[in-house]
Amino acid sequence: MKVKSLKILSILFLFILNTINTFSQTRKIDIENTIEYFNQRNKAINLVKSKKWKESIEVLKTLTTQYENDADLFYLLGLSYYETGQFANATIVLKKTIESGGTILRDIPTGSAPSNDIMIKIAKAYAADGDKKNSLLWLQKGFASRYDEKPFLKDDPAFKIFNTDDEFLALFGNDNQTKNTKKETWIKDISYLEKRIHELHYSPNQSISRTELSKEFKNLKTKITALNDEQVIVELMKIVGRLGNGHNLIIPTSPNKGALKKLPVQFYKFNDGLFIVDAEIGFEQWIGYKVESIENTTIEEALQRTNTINARDNDMQTLWLGPYYLGLPYVLQGIGIIKNANRVTITLSDTRGKSQKVTMNPIIWKFSDFPRIPKLKNKKQPLFLSKMKNPYWYKLFPEDNSIYVQFNIVTQKRKQSLLDFNLEIRNQIAQNGIQNLILDLRHNHGGNGSILPPMLKTVINFEVTSPKGKLFVIIGRETFSAAQNLLTDITKYTNPIIVGEPSGSKPNHIGEAGWFKLPYSGLMGLISTQFHQTSKAEDNRKWIAPHIPISLSSIDYFNGNDKALNIINEVIKEK
């Protein structure tokens, strides 16, 4: 009987304990004056956006006392404490934000919503109070949570008080040893890159096992003395290339030594072959020539070999980035196409088919972005090439009741936000009775995906308000990353007519990118950090395919003819 009573008491105790725990997670759930709470919440957000930190603290303290389940408010309070130098309070409140699952608030000055960014803010607050132990602890937590801008923290003023400390330097792969041999420095860099890949990558062993990846790094370490700096970089590019997915790459001009040179021409793969589309001064005469081979390797074979360097989401990236890698002589040497990286002989043919061999020497350059197809030389530009450097712009075609919108990079312009631009587009559509919306994403490599909603809303709004209208989206090999996310959402929520090539990424893909910087060579690059499930879970497509397939020929390009837009105009006129 006693045993039975003890069992009942135990069950009651567990029930009470569980009830207390449940209520502890949802305490302060009732607000007496909900409308006043809501108004004060909006007031607090506006105070923070106006950087009125002291005023916001008073409002936020009251709100978080009334209701403890809104992580957004703890985040804003922690940020306000930080900005007013109340670092101990900031750490307490920002930790509560993380415990509640973080926030996704946008447009907050000096703040950033991801939890790993909040962890770094906590580390900075501890550093400001001189607490090295806790500062380093929260730095490590942030890095373990795939914080993507780690290299830029090493010289951050927030950590100035201990930025020469051995423990701090070790986080970035550095030490205070000044005399290192070439082999020692590269081995330290290689070890750090391996560590950083596992620290950053969302799924580092999706394409290569951890054992195999480790073996690749070990093999490279044994070959250091037989390689020059440029060759080491190419070998690292090969290893990063084995990670798969298109957000993994090395910036080959970033190191302190061994920066890769390039050929003085730019290649582009059209549907009728690889052509020279741009050139440095002194080589302009070769623009428009077809590239038949590099040394003794055909172009088709050469493009396939670049895949050992080119981590990619799909084969459209071979067409997009393969020509870029073919312009780097040390890459050509590393993938077995040439023997001497200081002299590259290519076979060119003119429009009549007459061929000749041309030898080129590499030049110094600075990587800024993957190349886009350039504007035409000394010719009137077709619409799609006319304003590629403008992030977003539009043109009305009243005669066809059409509007053409070109979206080239997912970013904000200083003079007109993406939201304001889209409000203008919607006004133009309404005022002019637009029945055809043409959205051109061919040049869009992505950017800040969090700012995409206004563009998506414009597309949805057009379809709702113009049920008899037509929505066209032009895509291609360079429709990538955040642009791919926008494209996927458009196909999910609307019924567009897609024109062009398959997209450069997958509907569901490993995207985003975190930076690495090797401690001794200074070599920089990016590693994939997040999975984007923009489409349904079962969507395993390699790309989004066009409904009207159109690829660009060299003849159309050099004559300024946009076949994709021409076909769209024909479809519009058919109606």
Coordinates of all heavy atoms in Angstrom, one line a residue, residues 396-453:
L396 N 8.6 51.6 -70.0 CA 7.3 51.4 -70.4 C 7.2 51.3 -72.0 O 8.0 51.9 -72.7 CB 6.4 52.6 -70.0 CG 6.1 52.7 -68.5 CD1 5.4 54.1 -68.3 CD2 5.2 51.6 -68.0
F397 N 6.3 50.4 -72.4 CA 6.1 50.2 -73.8 C 4.5 50.4 -74.0 O 3.8 49.4 -74.1 CB 6.5 48.9 -74.4 CG 8.0 48.7 -74.4 CD1 8.7 48.1 -73.3 CD2 8.7 49.2 -75.5 CE1 10.0 48.0 -73.3 CE2 10.1 49.0 -75.5 CZ 10.8 48.4 -74.4
P398 N 4.1 51.7 -74.1 CA 2.6 52.0 -74.1 C 1.9 51.3 -75.3 O 0.8 50.9 -75.2 CB 2.6 53.5 -74.2 CG 3.9 54.0 -73.7 CD 4.9 52.9 -74.1
E399 N 2.6 51.2 -76.4 CA 2.0 50.6 -77.6 C 1.6 49.2 -77.4 O 0.6 48.7 -78.1 CB 2.9 50.7 -78.8 CG 4.2 49.9 -78.8 CD 5.3 50.6 -78.0 OE1 5.1 51.6 -77.3 OE2 6.5 50.1 -78.1
D400 N 2.3 48.5 -76.5 CA 1.9 47.1 -76.2 C 1.3 46.9 -74.8 O 1.2 45.7 -74.4 CB 3.2 46.2 -76.3 CG 3.8 46.2 -77.7 OD1 3.0 46.1 -78.7 OD2 5.0 46.2 -77.9
N401 N 1.0 48.0 -74.2 CA 0.6 47.9 -72.8 C 1.5 47.1 -71.9 O 1.1 46.2 -71.1 CB -0.9 47.3 -72.7 CG -1.9 48.2 -73.3 OD1 -1.8 49.5 -73.2 ND2 -2.9 47.7 -73.9
S402 N 2.8 47.3 -72.1 CA 3.8 46.5 -71.4 C 4.8 47.3 -70.6 O 5.0 48.5 -70.8 CB 4.7 45.7 -72.5 OG 3.9 44.9 -73.3
I403 N 5.3 46.7 -69.6 CA 6.4 47.3 -68.8 C 7.5 46.3 -68.7 O 7.3 45.1 -68.4 CB 5.9 47.7 -67.4 CG1 7.0 48.5 -66.7 CG2 5.4 46.6 -66.6 CD1 6.6 49.2 -65.4
Y404 N 8.7 46.7 -69.0 CA 9.9 45.9 -68.9 C 10.7 46.3 -67.6 O 11.1 47.4 -67.4 CB 10.8 46.1 -70.1 CG 12.2 45.4 -70.1 CD1 12.3 44.1 -70.4 CD2 13.3 46.1 -69.6 CE1 13.6 43.5 -70.4 CE2 14.6 45.5 -69.6 CZ 14.7 44.2 -70.0 OH 15.9 43.6 -70.0
V405 N 10.9 45.3 -66.7 CA 11.6 45.6 -65.5 C 12.9 44.7 -65.5 O 12.8 43.5 -65.6 CB 10.8 45.2 -64.2 CG1 11.5 45.5 -62.9 CG2 9.5 46.0 -64.3
Q406 N 14.0 45.4 -65.3 CA 15.3 44.6 -65.2 C 15.8 44.7 -63.8 O 16.0 45.8 -63.3 CB 16.3 45.1 -66.2 CG 17.5 44.1 -66.3 CD 18.5 44.6 -67.3 OE1 19.3 45.5 -67.2 NE2 18.6 43.8 -68.4
F407 N 16.0 43.5 -63.2 CA 16.4 43.4 -61.8 C 17.8 42.7 -61.8 O 17.9 41.5 -62.0 CB 15.4 42.6 -61.0 CG 15.5 42.6 -59.5 CD1 16.3 43.5 -58.9 CD2 14.9 41.6 -58.8 CE1 16.4 43.5 -57.5 CE2 15.0 41.6 -57.4 CZ 15.8 42.5 -56.7
N408 N 18.9 43.5 -61.6 CA 20.2 43.0 -61.8 C 21.0 42.5 -60.6 O 21.9 41.8 -60.7 CB 21.0 44.1 -62.6 CG 20.5 44.3 -64.0 OD1 20.1 43.4 -64.6 ND2 20.5 45.6 -64.4
I409 N 20.6 43.1 -59.4 CA 21.2 42.6 -58.2 C 20.3 42.9 -57.0 O 19.6 43.9 -57.0 CB 22.6 43.3 -58.0 CG1 23.3 42.8 -56.7 CG2 22.4 44.9 -57.9 CD1 24.7 43.3 -56.5
V410 N 20.2 42.0 -56.1 CA 19.3 42.1 -55.0 C 20.0 43.0 -53.9 O 20.7 42.5 -53.0 CB 18.9 40.8 -54.4 CG1 17.8 40.9 -53.4 CG2 18.4 39.9 -55.5
T411 N 19.8 44.3 -54.0 CA 20.4 45.2 -53.1 C 19.5 46.5 -53.0 O 18.5 46.6 -53.8 CB 21.8 45.6 -53.5 OG1 22.4 46.4 -52.5 CG2 21.8 46.4 -54.8
Q412 N 19.9 47.4 -52.2 CA 19.1 48.7 -52.1 C 19.9 49.8 -52.7 O 21.1 49.9 -52.5 CB 18.9 49.1 -50.6 CG 18.2 48.0 -49.8 CD 16.7 48.0 -49.9 OE1 16.2 48.6 -50.9 NE2 16.0 47.5 -49.0
K413 N 19.3 50.6 -53.5 CA 19.9 51.8 -54.1 C 19.8 52.9 -53.0 O 18.8 53.0 -52.3 CB 19.3 52.3 -55.4 CG 19.6 51.3 -56.5 CD 19.3 51.9 -57.9 CE 17.9 52.2 -58.2 NZ 17.7 52.6 -59.6
R414 N 20.8 53.8 -53.0 CA 20.8 54.9 -52.0 C 19.6 55.8 -52.2 O 19.0 56.3 -51.2 CB 22.1 55.7 -52.0 CG 23.3 54.9 -51.5 CD 24.5 55.8 -51.5 NE 25.7 55.1 -50.9 CZ 26.8 55.7 -50.8 NH1 27.0 56.9 -51.1 NH2 27.9 55.0 -50.3
K415 N 19.3 56.2 -53.4 CA 18.3 57.2 -53.7 C 16.9 56.6 -53.8 O 15.9 57.3 -53.8 CB 18.7 58.0 -54.9 CG 19.9 58.8 -54.8 CD 20.2 59.7 -56.0 CE 21.4 60.5 -55.8 NZ 21.7 61.4 -57.0
Q416 N 16.8 55.3 -54.0 CA 15.5 54.7 -54.1 C 15.5 53.2 -53.6 O 16.2 52.4 -54.2 CB 14.9 54.7 -55.5 CG 13.5 54.2 -55.7 CD 13.0 54.2 -57.1 OE1 13.8 53.7 -58.0 NE2 11.8 54.6 -57.4
S417 N 14.9 53.0 -52.5 CA 14.9 51.6 -51.9 C 14.1 50.7 -52.9 O 13.4 51.1 -53.8 CB 14.2 51.6 -50.6 OG 12.8 51.8 -50.7
L418 N 14.3 49.4 -52.7 CA 13.6 48.4 -53.5 C 12.1 48.5 -53.3 O 11.3 48.3 -54.2 CB 14.1 47.0 -53.2 CG 13.7 45.9 -54.1 CD1 14.1 46.1 -55.6 CD2 14.2 44.5 -53.7
L419 N 11.7 48.8 -52.0 CA 10.3 49.0 -51.8 C 9.7 50.2 -52.5 O 8.7 50.0 -53.2 CB 10.1 49.2 -50.3 CG 8.7 49.6 -49.8 CD1 7.7 48.5 -50.2 CD2 8.6 49.9 -48.3
D420 N 10.4 51.3 -52.5 CA 9.9 52.5 -53.2 C 9.9 52.2 -54.7 O 9.0 52.7 -55.4 CB 10.8 53.7 -52.9 CG 10.6 54.2 -51.5 OD1 9.6 53.9 -50.9 OD2 11.5 54.9 -50.9
F421 N 10.9 51.5 -55.2 CA 10.9 51.2 -56.7 C 9.7 50.4 -57.0 O 9.0 50.6 -58.0 CB 12.2 50.4 -57.0 CG 12.2 49.9 -58.4 CD1 12.5 50.7 -59.5 CD2 12.0 48.5 -58.6 CE1 12.5 50.2 -60.8 CE2 12.1 48.0 -59.9 CZ 12.3 48.9 -61.0
N422 N 9.4 49.4 -56.2 CA 8.2 48.5 -56.5 C 6.9 49.3 -56.3 O 5.9 49.0 -57.1 CB 8.3 47.3 -55.6 CG 9.2 46.2 -56.2 OD1 8.7 45.5 -57.1 ND2 10.4 46.2 -55.8
L423 N 6.8 50.2 -55.4 CA 5.6 51.0 -55.3 C 5.4 51.9 -56.6 O 4.3 52.0 -57.1 CB 5.7 52.0 -54.1 CG 5.6 51.3 -52.7 CD1 5.9 52.3 -51.6 CD2 4.3 50.6 -52.5
E424 N 6.5 52.3 -57.1 CA 6.5 53.1 -58.4 C 6.0 52.2 -59.5 O 5.2 52.6 -60.4 CB 7.8 53.7 -58.7 CG 7.8 54.6 -59.9 CD 9.2 55.2 -60.2 OE1 10.0 55.3 -59.3 OE2 9.4 55.6 -61.4
I425 N 6.6 51.0 -59.6 CA 6.2 50.0 -60.6 C 4.7 49.8 -60.5 O 3.9 49.8 -61.6 CB 6.9 48.7 -60.4 CG1 8.4 48.9 -60.7 CG2 6.3 47.6 -61.4 CD1 8.7 49.1 -62.2
R426 N 4.1 49.5 -59.3 CA 2.7 49.2 -59.2 C 1.9 50.4 -59.6 O 0.8 50.2 -60.2 CB 2.4 48.9 -57.7 CG 3.0 47.5 -57.3 CD 2.9 47.3 -55.8 NE 4.0 46.5 -55.3 CZ 4.3 46.4 -54.0 NH1 3.5 47.0 -53.1 NH2 5.3 45.7 -53.6
N427 N 2.3 51.6 -59.3 CA 1.6 52.8 -59.7 C 1.6 52.9 -61.3 O 0.5 53.3 -61.9 CB 2.2 54.1 -59.1 CG 1.9 54.2 -57.6 OD1 0.9 53.7 -57.2 ND2 2.8 54.9 -56.9
Q428 N 2.7 52.6 -61.9 CA 2.8 52.7 -63.3 C 1.9 51.7 -64.0 O 1.2 51.9 -65.0 CB 4.2 52.5 -63.8 CG 5.2 53.6 -63.5 CD 5.0 54.8 -64.3 OE1 4.1 54.9 -65.2 NE2 5.7 55.9 -64.0
I429 N 1.8 50.5 -63.4 CA 0.9 49.4 -63.9 C -0.5 49.8 -63.8 O -1.3 49.7 -64.8 CB 1.2 48.1 -63.1 CG1 2.6 47.5 -63.5 CG2 0.1 47.1 -63.5 CD1 3.0 46.3 -62.7
A430 N -0.9 50.4 -62.7 CA -2.3 50.8 -62.5 C -2.7 52.0 -63.4 O -3.7 52.1 -64.0 CB -2.5 51.2 -61.0
Q431 N -1.8 53.0 -63.4 CA -2.1 54.3 -64.2 C -2.1 54.1 -65.7 O -2.9 54.8 -66.4 CB -1.1 55.3 -63.8 CG -1.2 55.8 -62.4 CD 0.0 56.8 -62.0 OE1 0.7 57.2 -62.9 NE2 0.0 57.1 -60.7
N432 N -1.3 53.1 -66.2 CA -1.2 52.9 -67.6 C -1.9 51.7 -68.2 O -1.8 51.4 -69.3 CB 0.3 52.9 -68.0 CG 1.1 54.2 -67.7 OD1 1.0 55.1 -68.5 ND2 1.8 54.2 -66.6
G433 N -2.7 51.1 -67.3 CA -3.4 49.9 -67.8 C -2.5 48.8 -68.3 O -2.8 48.2 -69.3
I434 N -1.4 48.6 -67.7 CA -0.4 47.6 -68.2 C -1.0 46.2 -68.1 O -1.6 45.8 -67.1 CB 0.9 47.7 -67.3 CG1 1.6 49.0 -67.5 CG2 1.8 46.5 -67.7 CD1 2.0 49.4 -68.8
Q435 N -0.8 45.5 -69.3 CA -1.4 44.1 -69.4 C -0.2 43.1 -69.5 O -0.5 41.9 -69.5 CB -2.3 44.0 -70.6 CG -3.6 44.7 -70.3 CD -4.4 44.1 -69.2 OE1 -4.7 42.9 -69.2 NE2 -4.8 45.0 -68.2
N436 N 1.0 43.6 -69.6 CA 2.1 42.6 -69.8 C 3.3 43.1 -69.0 O 3.8 44.2 -69.2 CB 2.6 42.6 -71.3 CG 1.4 42.2 -72.2 OD1 1.1 41.0 -72.2 ND2 0.9 43.1 -73.0
L437 N 3.7 42.3 -68.0 CA 4.8 42.6 -67.1 C 6.0 41.6 -67.5 O 5.8 40.4 -67.5 CB 4.4 42.4 -65.7 CG 5.6 42.4 -64.6 CD1 6.3 43.8 -64.7 CD2 5.0 42.2 -63.2
I438 N 7.1 42.2 -67.9 CA 8.3 41.5 -68.3 C 9.4 41.7 -67.2 O 9.9 42.8 -67.1 CB 8.8 41.9 -69.7 CG1 7.7 41.8 -70.7 CG2 10.0 41.0 -70.1 CD1 8.0 42.5 -72.0
L439 N 9.7 40.7 -66.5 CA 10.7 40.8 -65.4 C 12.0 40.0 -65.9 O 12.0 38.8 -66.2 CB 10.2 40.2 -64.1 CG 11.2 40.1 -63.0 CD1 11.7 41.5 -62.6 CD2 10.7 39.4 -61.8
D440 N 13.1 40.8 -66.1 CA 14.3 40.2 -66.6 C 15.3 40.0 -65.5 O 15.8 40.9 -64.8 CB 14.9 41.2 -67.6 CG 16.1 40.6 -68.4 OD1 16.6 39.5 -68.0 OD2 16.4 41.2 -69.5
L441 N 15.6 38.7 -65.2 CA 16.5 38.3 -64.2 C 17.8 37.7 -64.7 O 18.6 37.0 -64.0 CB 15.9 37.2 -63.2 CG 14.6 37.7 -62.5 CD1 14.0 36.5 -61.7 CD2 14.9 38.8 -61.6
R442 N 18.1 37.9 -66.0 CA 19.3 37.2 -66.6 C 20.6 37.5 -66.0 O 21.5 36.7 -66.0 CB 19.3 37.5 -68.1 CG 18.3 36.7 -68.9 CD 18.3 37.1 -70.4 NE 17.6 38.4 -70.6 CZ 17.4 38.9 -71.8 NH1 17.8 38.3 -72.9 NH2 16.7 40.1 -71.9
H443 N 20.8 38.8 -65.5 CA 22.1 39.2 -65.0 C 22.2 39.1 -63.5 O 23.2 39.6 -62.9 CB 22.4 40.6 -65.4 CG 22.2 40.9 -66.9 ND1 22.9 40.2 -67.8 CD2 21.5 41.8 -67.6 CE1 22.6 40.7 -69.1 NE2 21.8 41.7 -68.9
N444 N 21.1 38.6 -62.8 CA 21.0 38.7 -61.4 C 21.7 37.5 -60.7 O 21.2 36.4 -60.7 CB 19.6 38.8 -61.0 CG 19.4 39.4 -59.6 OD1 20.2 39.1 -58.7 ND2 18.4 40.2 -59.4
H445 N 22.9 37.8 -60.1 CA 23.6 36.8 -59.3 C 23.1 36.6 -57.9 O 23.6 35.8 -57.1 CB 25.1 37.1 -59.3 CG 25.7 37.2 -60.6 ND1 27.0 37.7 -60.8 CD2 25.3 36.9 -61.8 CE1 27.3 37.7 -62.0 NE2 26.3 37.2 -62.7
G446 N 22.2 37.5 -57.4 CA 21.7 37.4 -56.1 C 22.0 38.6 -55.3 O 22.1 39.7 -55.8
G447 N 22.2 38.4 -54.0 CA 22.4 39.5 -53.0 C 21.7 39.3 -51.7 O 21.7 38.1 -51.2
N448 N 21.1 40.3 -51.2 CA 20.4 40.2 -49.9 C 19.0 39.8 -50.0 O 18.1 40.5 -50.3 CB 20.5 41.6 -49.2 CG 19.8 41.6 -47.8 OD1 19.4 40.6 -47.3 ND2 19.7 42.8 -47.3
G449 N 18.8 38.5 -49.9 CA 17.5 37.9 -50.1 C 16.4 38.4 -49.2 O 15.2 38.3 -49.5
S450 N 16.7 38.9 -48.0 CA 15.7 39.4 -47.1 C 14.9 40.6 -47.6 O 13.9 40.9 -47.0 CB 16.4 39.7 -45.7 OG 17.2 40.9 -45.8
I451 N 15.4 41.3 -48.6 CA 14.7 42.5 -49.1 C 13.8 42.1 -50.3 O 13.3 43.1 -50.9 CB 15.7 43.6 -49.4 CG1 16.6 43.2 -50.6 CG2 16.5 44.0 -48.2 CD1 17.4 44.4 -51.1
L452 N 13.7 40.9 -50.7 CA 12.9 40.5 -51.9 C 11.4 40.7 -51.8 O 10.8 40.8 -52.9 CB 13.2 39.0 -52.2 CG 14.5 38.7 -52.9 CD1 14.8 37.2 -53.0 CD2 14.6 39.4 -54.3
P453 N 10.8 40.6 -50.6 CA 9.3 40.7 -50.6 C 8.6 41.7 -51.5 O 7.6 41.4 -52.1 CB 9.0 40.8 -49.1 CG 10.1 40.1 -48.4 CD 11.3 40.4 -49.3

